[in-house]
Amino acid sequence: MTILSAVALLILVLDPLGNVPLFLAALRNVPHPRHRAIILRELLIALGVLIVFLFGGPYILRILQVSQSSLGIAGGIILLIISLNMIFPGAKGTFGETDEEPFIVPLAIPLIAGPSALTTLILLMAEAPAMWLSWLAALLLAWFVTGLILLFSDVIGRVLGERGTMAIERLM
């Protein structure tokens, strides 16, 4: 796998466009001037978690005695549950109603550094550990693209409108 294909894969797995409506929903009750600071903080936290799993993931799995195939199955189940919750939100929406500022959950983890992103990084390192510098570069580039899209989520939300963001959320 080349760096470019790893970047494309990681951008798809980090799913910045699919996260735009979720970020807008999670930040709905937070004062607008704080949005960019919160998104940047959550992006940095997610980057830290992603880097830890890039380098330490195989060791964590070995300590927990979890195989790569069971990790893939568990990640798929978690994604299914999250997807069902997005498609069929409860009366309070995907994240419920809260006036508190989100911190780590749900923005950094699992929306940015979710099970599929963590699994992808672990599998990249398991396949070719000697390419660690390439995987790190791919992660940083994909994270940067994701960050740009999420930092402009307010603009994207205004362009798409409420119905457009709802359609993107359910589609992604």
Side-chain angles (χ1 to χ4, degrees), residues 79-92:
L79 284 176
L80 174 69
I81 292 169
I82 291 170
S83 300
L84 288 174
N85 188 30
M86 291 167 143
I87 293 171
F88 305 109
K92 295 183 180 180

Side-chain angles (χ1 to χ4, degrees), residues 121-157:
L121 291 171
I122 291 171
L123 294 176
L124 284 174
M125 277 298 272
E127 280 182 27
M131 292 183 60
W132 67 269
L133 190 58
S134 299
W135 303 146
L136 180 61
L139 171 61
L140 291 174
L141 189 56
W143 174 83
F144 182 75
V145 170
T146 298
L148 282 178
I149 291 170
L150 292 177
L151 283 170
F152 291 101
S153 60
D154 291 336
V155 175
I156 295 169

